[in-house]
Amino acid sequence: MTVLVAYASALGSTREIAQHVASRMAAALGEVECRSVDEVESVAGYEAVLVGSAIHNQAWLPPAVQFLSQHAPGLAERPVWAFSVGMADGLPKLFRNRGAVLQQQRLEQTQFQDVQLRGHAVFSGVYQASQLPAVLRALFRLTGGRFGDLRDWAAVDAWTDQVTAELTKSDLP
Ligand SMILES: Cc1cc2nc3c(=O)[nH]c(=O)nc-3n(C[C@H](O)[C@H](O)[C@H](O)COP(=O)(O)O)c2cc1C
């Protein structure tokens, strides 16, 4: 079975999550290719596709949105999972859980209309203080926001194993 893990990443943290997912999955399934969405010409050669994007301003990066619409017919014929990488765990505590739920809902309502997903995970990524202007940075910290590498590799592994288990079921696609 050949699985594609495609990603769109602005600063690299989503790419590293995609590479981690792909290598963990390869250990269980054999052939898994990890590519930037820009590099994928067709999904025809893959039995399943995982596609992930960094979240910017409550939306996927444009190349990932384009990937979904450009490959919609091919994606409709195979199982597809999505993952989004944002900063939910860095939000001030007051908004953290509610903010994560609302963002996930918004992404599902706005980004995935062209494709039927088997699942969608949202992971925390890397959010650096230098990404915000000084005033907003101070405000963010004062209200309990956190910067740093907030990636939860155990959560990524658990999701990868869940997708792998679904892929090894015999009734695909
Ligand atoms: C300009 C900008 C906008 C962002 N907007 C959001 C957002 O709306 N929601 C969110 O959860 N994270 C947001 N983030 C956080 C990033 O998604 C997070 O840092 C992620 O790890 C970036 O992935 P990348 O390193 O692959 O680019 C934003 C980051 C930047 C730089």
Side-chain angles (χ1 to χ4, degrees):
M1 172 182 308
T2 306
V3 175
L4 171 67
V5 181
Y7 63 86
S9 178
L11 297 172
S13 61
T14 306
R15 182 188 67 239
E16 288 168 2
I17 289 175
Q19 289 168 339
H20 183 89
V21 167
S23 61
R24 188 173 176 90
M25 206 167 239
L29 293 178
E31 274 202 65
V32 180
E33 290 179 18
C34 185
R35 299 189 184 285
S36 161
V37 288
D38 301 319
E39 295 169 357
V40 180
E41 286 181 11
S42 165
V43 296
Y46 303 103
E47 277 152 90
V49 176
L50 282 68
V51 54
S53 174
I55 308 167
H56 275 195
N57 307 320
Q58 305 282 309
W60 270 22
L61 297 178
V65 176
Q66 197 190 329
F67 175 89
L68 291 181
S69 58
Q70 183 183 340
H71 297 289
L75 294 172
E77 293 172 1
R78 42 192 49 77
V80 180
W81 284 263
F83 63 94
S84 303
V85 180
M87 49 167 283
D89 289 341
L91 288 175
K93 224 175 186 171
L94 196 59
F95 313 113
R96 201 168 294 161
N97 293 337
R98 188 81 191 120
V101 170
L102 286 176
Q103 178 161 264
Q104 179 152 7
Q105 284 172 351
R106 181 172 309 153
L107 287 168
E108 287 170 5
Q109 283 159 10
T110 57
Q111 307 293 276
F112 308 128
Q113 283 135 341
D114 291 336
V115 55
Q116 185 77 31
L117 296 179
R118 297 271 176 131
H120 171 222
V122 181
F123 301 123
S124 279
V126 178
Y127 196 52
Q128 302 295 7
S130 57
Q131 291 170 343
L132 275 184
V135 175
L136 289 179
R137 192 185 310 161
L139 196 63
F140 188 74
R141 279 203 174 109
L142 274 173
T143 52
R146 293 185 298 160
F147 292 107
D149 185 344
L150 302 171
R151 286 174 292 184
D152 180 347
W153 295 107
V156 174
D157 285 349
W159 182 73
T160 306
D161 292 350
Q162 187 189 321
V163 174
T164 303
E166 289 185 47
L167 279 171
T168 47
K169 284 185 199 156
S170 57
D171 58 350
L172 288 177

